[in-house]
Amino acid sequence: MKNIDGNSMHIPIDLLRTFMVVAETRNYTQTGRKISKSQSAVSMQIKRLTEIVGKPLIEMNGKQIRLSPMGELLLEHAQKIIRAHAAAMTAINQSELRGRVRLGAPEDYCSHFVPQILAGFARDYPDIRVDVICRSSPELYGDLIQGNLDLAVCTALGVEGEKIFQESIAWVTCGDLAILEKASLPLAVYSHNCLYRKWAMEALEKINRPFHVAYMSPSISGILAAVRSGLAVAPVAMSVAGKEVQIIGPEHGFPALPAANVCLYGTSGLTNPLVENLAIHVRNAFRERKKNAA
């Protein structure tokens, strides 16, 4: 690799790791906390990386950090380099790789994506135990911050994370559309801190459509059971809706719902090979879903 002066350059992998965390947090202090370095040490590493590349990587807008065009380009390659490095180190030490990783995901993804992820991971790393925690996205992020999880797949929470999928959210009902004629629309929803629930209620309030919560469940299977039985209409992720329900939308008088960004959050994933290799399997599972949905 050469810098803009045409000279060959070597970028230490620890500088790339720090740069990736800065790109995630957009804050030197938070980066320092995540990688156990001082703010000044983080700043010095970014300065050194900039000198090696030969072009600005960071742009400051007041106190807001953002990546320059060169920074965005480097980030894309840095992610590939870090993953390749982790994969190489794992391949070298695979026979000695043992331990436990804690993965959190909302219930709908635990039902549909996590079994595929665990099966593939177990084939590659049979001596690593994966503990799966199934909760709402806000609860999972809280567990991650408190050190009770290593990785969490969450609907975007307004906190910088690695976007791995964009989920379409749709209204679903059973084949009998008579339920749509009810004076008060019965809803099947998750708990109060569910983003889909919030979006659905706000959308109905905007068009002055009366509604009530007829069924509340912590699981997607419970929500879909209520829908298939003709008891309620529900906002659900398209990837888990299944073929036994009917999608309804503007043609039925229902406003479109926002798409949800699904992000991968981690605390030690850039330095812990157990966590990083599970993260690779998570990314691959959602990448396959994206291909199949295209």
Side-chain angles (χ1 to χ4, degrees), residues 113-126:
F113 288 102
V114 170
Q116 171 192 345
I117 293 166
L118 295 183
F121 190 72
R123 283 193 299 269
D124 292 345
Y125 309 102

Side-chain angles (χ1 to χ4, degrees), residues 38-206:
S38 66
Q39 179 182 348
S40 59
V42 171
S43 179
M44 288 298 293
Q45 284 196 314
I46 296 301
K47 181 181 178 183
R48 175 62 184 141
L49 182 60
T50 302
E51 290 172 349
I52 293 172
V53 173
K55 270 191 175 182
L57 303 174
I58 301 291
E59 295 176 348
M60 300 297 297
N61 182 12
K63 293 185 178 179
Q64 181 67 39
I65 291 176
R66 64 185 182 190
L67 300 186
S68 68
M70 179 57 70
E72 295 285 359
L73 179 63
L74 179 62
L75 177 62
E76 180 182 342
H77 290 285
Q79 291 169 337
K80 295 176 183 177
I81 291 168
I82 295 295
R83 290 170 196 166
H85 180 269
M89 294 305 296
T90 298
I92 293 169
N93 301 299
Q94 187 166 349
S95 61
E96 300 176 1
L97 201 57
R98 289 175 174 80
R100 179 179 71 135
V101 186
R102 300 161 300 172
L103 171 67
E107 195 276 339
D108 42 3
Y109 292 140
C110 279
S111 300
H112 290 77
F113 288 102
V114 170
Q116 171 192 345
I117 293 166
L118 295 183
F121 190 72
R123 283 193 299 269
D124 292 345
Y125 309 102
D127 294 323
I128 299 177
R129 186 180 108 193
V130 181
D131 294 343
V132 178
I133 292 84
C134 184
R135 305 181 71 185
S136 70
S137 290
E139 290 171 326
L140 290 171
Y141 188 74
D143 288 339
L144 188 76
I145 295 303
Q146 292 168 19
N148 298 323
L149 284 177
D150 299 302
L151 283 174
V153 177
C154 302
T155 303
L157 302 165
V159 181
E160 287 286 343
E162 179 189 346
K163 180 181 169 183
I164 56 174
F165 191 64
Q166 186 170 63
E167 182 73 84
S168 297
I169 311 302
W171 300 98
V172 297
T173 187
C174 65
D176 183 3
L177 298 183
I179 193 172
L180 306 184
E181 305 301 324
K182 291 183 177 289
S184 176
L185 184 72
L187 293 181
V189 290
Y190 289 114
S191 60
H192 294 280
N193 57 2
C194 172
L195 195 56
Y196 302 171
R197 171 186 175 133
K198 176 176 179 287
W199 287 344
M201 291 182 171
E202 288 176 349
L204 293 174
E205 287 168 354
K206 272 187 180 179

Side-chain angles (χ1 to χ4, degrees), residues 1 24-25 33 35 43 50 53 69-71 80 93 108 117 132 151 156 218 220 231 240 243 254 286:
M1 186 178 289
E24 176 189 338
T25 65
R33 292 195 192 109
I35 63 175
S43 179
T50 302
V53 173
M70 179 57 70
K80 295 176 183 177
N93 301 299
D108 42 3
I117 293 166
V132 178
L151 283 174
I220 185 62
L231 300 177
V240 300
K243 298 179 180 178
F254 282 79
F286 280 90

Side-chain angles (χ1 to χ4, degrees), residues 9-25:
M9 60 177 167
H10 167 72
I11 302 178
I13 199 142
D14 63 317
L15 298 186
L16 291 178
R17 287 197 178 104
T18 300
F19 177 67
M20 284 178 61
V21 181
V22 169
E24 176 189 338
T25 65

